[in-house]
Structures are given as C-alpha cells and as structure tokens.
Amino acid sequence: MTQGATDTASFPLPSPKELRRLREAKSLSEEQVAAAVGVTPATVRSWEAGRASPRGRKRVAYAKLIGTGGTEARGTSESPPSGARGKPAGLTKPSSSPAPAAAGTSAGAAETAQTDEPSAGNRPGAPVPALTPAEAFDALYSKNAAALFRQTFLLTGRRNLSREAVERAFEQAWQRWPEVAVDRDPAGWVRAAAYEYAVSPWHQLRRAHRHPDPPPAAPGSGALLEALLDLPPSYRRTLLLYDGVGLDLPETAAETEASTPATASRLRNARAAVAEQVPELAETSWPAGQSALLQEQLGALALTQPVAAMPTAHAIRDGSEHKARLWTRAAIALTALIAGIALITMVTSPARYGSPPAERVGGVPPRSGPQRLTPQDLTLQKKLHEELVRGPARLVPDLK
C-alpha cells in the first residue's frame, strides 16, 4: 500500500459540502487554510468543490486543521446533526434511533432509513440488518417526502409545482443513488434538488404555475405566506432553510452556494421584509426571538397544507428508471441518426468536381486602348500648344 492510500484510509474526509461547513464553523478563511497546509487558495476551493482531493502530508494536515482528525469514516462526522437548533414538526422530523446501515451505503444514508420507534432489530445489542439500495431509497422517501412537500409549498405557494419538484428530486436521487447513498445527508441532497427545481424561473412560462394557489384558511397564515412569496427566491430559500428547516448558518450558506456573510445579510433582510407584513414578528426585535417565532409560525403554516397524493416509492423508482431508459434510447437514436446522415452524405456526394464548359458571353465591349483623335481634336491640340508660347504673358516653365 502506498503512502497516499495509507493517508486516505487513515484520514478519510467528509463530503466537499461538509469540508466547507467545518472550515467556516472554525472561522477559517480559504487563505488561512491554504497557508497552514502549504497550498494555494484555489486548491482549497477545488477540495471544497469536489474537483480534487488532498493527498499525503497535505491530507493529514488538512484533516487535522478542519477538525476531522481521522475520526470521520465514510462521510460521517461527530459534529451535531443539521437539526441541532430544533426543527418544527410540520417541516422535518428528527431521528431518534441509530441507523441500520445498508451494504454499500453510508451511515448518513442509513440515518434517514430508520423508523421513529426502534424495532427489535434496531435495539442496542441486536444485529443490524443490511438494507438493499431499493429498501434504503424507499425508507428515505417514506420518511422525507411529506415534509419536503410542505417545505417546497412554502417556497413556491403552488401545490402542483411542489409535488412535481419532490417527485423529480427523488427520481434524480434514484438515478444517482450511488452518489446519494454515500452522502453525509441524503435528505439534504434531495432537498437541494427539489428547491433548485422549484425556484427555477422557467416555471413562470408555464400557464399552470404562473399564479400561486389560494392562501390557507387559517387566520394569520395568509399574511405570512404572502410575505414569503414577496421575497426574492434566494432570500426566501435562505429564510426557509435557517428558520424553517433549522440548518445553521454555514450549512445554509453551503446549500444555497453563497458565502456565510452573504447568507447572514440575506437572512436579516428577509426577516425585516417579513416583519413589515407580520405584526407579531415586528414586535420582537431580538434575532433569537424572531427565529423562534418564525420556526413556530412556519411549522404551523406547513401543517395547514394537507400533503398531496404522492406516488409510492416503488412508482418513483420505476418512473426514474423508465425516464432513464427513454433518455438513453433517445441519445442512441440521435447518435444513429447523425451517423446515418453522415454516411448518406459520404455515399451520395461526388468523388470528383469538374469545371463546367466555357460559354461565350455577349454584350460586353471589347478591351481596347484610348480612342483615336479626330481631325478636329488634332487641330485643337495644335492650337493649344501654339497659344502656350505665342499668347499673352504667362508663366511658362523653362525647360532646360
């Protein structure tokens, strides 16, 4: 085993998103990490973007600097989970028992595959059964689909679009299940995919999604939902992740692909805009109080919306595989069509190109020099030459 393989096994690193979160949690900039490890800031950005991975002594120094220290295995960490600040029951439901890890999946994927009440196989001391990929995906879907639908509704205000975004996100998760299974937070992966699809500006061109659904009938919920929908999509998403889902600031910044200061600024501006339309929030000027009040109100608003008739996990998997087969067949057909057109062009095109026969062109005057002078022109020319000498006094060049 080489030195690089030994370092990789002894000092495993979490996902790129988690690397950034750990760095920002320690209040370290990219320049500080680069100077401590001995690389450039661009290299640190490549590590956090997943384009490269540190090796050798740099990997050891980097792991110790950001706080992993070799204690994180297979993409998990000892840091508190995403919901450490407390999450509203209407949006998410925290786990309460250890996860039965599936073969080939990470502990983060198995964490979402558990039930709220530990069964006999999940009790301490009992053997942990291995889950197949389909079983792990079904558990992830059954545990998070309803809460994700409510979150997406608060983000869009449209029930059909929210249902479509959740279905599409889980279809993408099944298509890329090897990647999702080893992610530290599979539910967060699906949530990010659903949010990206839901806030896409192209939905405004669709007639069915141009206008939001009628506000809920619960008192006070309509004003809060209207205030949310009046926010820009980036502000709305930041507010929902931090005050609704319960992510901390570095995690919110990583999921929205923004810097931590920019995320904090968006959060302040979003709270100020919502407070102008929600009197209860305007009465609380303390940020922690506003956050707690928003968590309570967002959770209550989410519970006012009944979950749409979501398809089963089996139907999601079948639909995802069907779409993947259609896209594969379409790509093969398009490639075959292009190859056929190129082949037909090669066969039907002439091998030699000859010039056409020459034809006489009429109506064009023949090429000739200056016209000959007539007798009158000659007489005038002679007269001009004589007047130059015998005429009145004028400047005449002295030719010598």
Side-chain angles (χ1 to χ4, degrees), residues 67 97 158 234 315:
S97 61
R158 298 164 176 83
S234 59

Side-chain angles (χ1 to χ4, degrees), residues 235 238 249 253 256-269:
Y235 286 27
T238 301
L249 199 59
T256 57
E257 297 182 353
S259 63
T260 303
T263 303
S265 177
R266 290 176 181 177
L267 184 61
R268 288 193 299 268
N269 294 334

Side-chain angles (χ1 to χ4, degrees), residues 17-18 20-22 24-25 81-83 85 87 155 184-185 188 191-192 195-196 233-268 270-271 291 295:
K17 183 187 298 185
E18 179 66 10
R20 175 179 173 179
R21 191 195 70 81
L22 291 174
E24 293 183 344
S82 302
R85 296 193 307 116
K87 304 176 184 179
L155 194 65
R184 179 180 177 271
D185 184 14
R191 179 180 61 237
Y195 283 12
E196 286 291 340
S234 59
Y235 286 27
R236 194 187 319 153
R237 184 175 180 179
T238 301
L239 183 68
L240 181 60
L241 287 174
Y242 187 85
D243 288 331
V245 179
L247 302 184
D248 57 17
L249 199 59
E251 289 177 334
T252 304
E255 185 160 330
T256 57
E257 297 182 353
S259 63
T260 303
T263 303
S265 177
R266 290 176 181 177
L267 184 61
R268 288 193 299 268
R271 286 176 177 173
S291 179
Q295 284 185 6

